[in-house]
Amino acid sequence: MKNLLIIYHSYTGGTEQMAEAAAEAAGGEKDITILLMRAENCEPADMLSADGYIFATPENLAAIAGVMKAFFDRCYYPLLGQIEGRPYAAMICAGSDGENARNQLERIAIGWRLKKVIDTPIICTHAQTEEAILAPKTIGETDKAQCAEIGATLSAGLAMGVF
């Protein structure tokens, strides 16, 4: 049995919808256990018990969300040298750009020496005003399908031993 851990943070619901779409699609593999976990609850032991990861975060002020950064801060050094080579994918929910958040997250994964198995999508909500940024988000079906594909691909790869 393999374990896929999906770690996310969401303030307005967009990233949560993305993570849930990935988790639902990943659940189609019979020999894979899926754990969907909020970043503030994830500890190094959770990471050690997983065979692969999906990280999902909003971009806030041109960076990964502070809660997601706190997760990486809390787990980075205790896991250094212990999770090398494990597969991962990531997803960014952004108002307009998302590139800095993607670069930051991928740089952390490089430091852990994780293996990126899927290109990191940036799901753009086009939220540009204070009201739009703080409003609850609805992720469109096409974007959720892209997130589902990430979950299904990572799960299938773990089940087949490809990753």
Side-chain angles (χ1 to χ4, degrees):
M1 183 66 83
K2 299 277 183 147
N3 298 310
L4 175 60
L5 177 59
I6 303 173
I7 304 147
Y8 75 99
H9 171 67
S10 190
Y11 181 70
T12 61
T15 308
E16 184 172 20
Q17 292 168 54
M18 293 164 54
E20 287 173 347
E24 184 177 333
E29 291 293 331
K30 65 178 180 165
D31 292 329
I32 302 292
T33 300
I34 311 302
L35 181 58
L36 182 64
M37 182 176 283
R38 294 188 69 87
E40 62 265 29
N41 299 325
C42 190
E43 297 295 333
D46 300 310
M47 295 283 293
L48 283 171
S49 69
D51 300 291
Y53 315 101
I54 298 175
F55 304 109
T57 183
E59 179 186 53
N60 292 347
L61 302 172
I64 60 176
V67 173
M68 199 72 174
K69 174 72 165 66
F71 150 72
F72 285 121
D73 287 344
R74 183 174 60 254
C75 293
Y76 187 82
Y77 290 110
L79 294 172
L80 199 57
Q82 297 187 61
I83 59 174
E84 291 179 4
R86 293 183 191 186
Y88 89 94
M91 303 179 289
I92 308 295
C93 186
S96 60
D97 183 76
E99 291 290 332
N100 286 335
R102 175 170 51 195
N103 292 342
Q104 184 182 21
L105 193 152
E106 290 181 353
R107 182 61 191 103
I108 293 166
I110 287 170
W112 266 336
R113 291 167 181 75
L114 297 177
K115 178 181 173 186
K116 182 171 87 168
V117 296
I118 302 167
D119 286 335
T120 302
I122 297 171
I123 306 301
C124 187
T125 66
H126 305 286
Q128 293 301 298
T129 65
E130 179 182 2
E131 287 177 340
I133 291 166
L134 297 175
K137 303 296 182 290
T138 300
I139 302 301
E141 292 304 315
T142 301
D143 290 330
K144 283 197 278 190
Q146 186 177 8
C147 298
E149 184 178 334
I150 289 169
T153 300
L154 196 52
S155 182
L158 285 171
M160 292 186 297
V162 173
F163 305 132

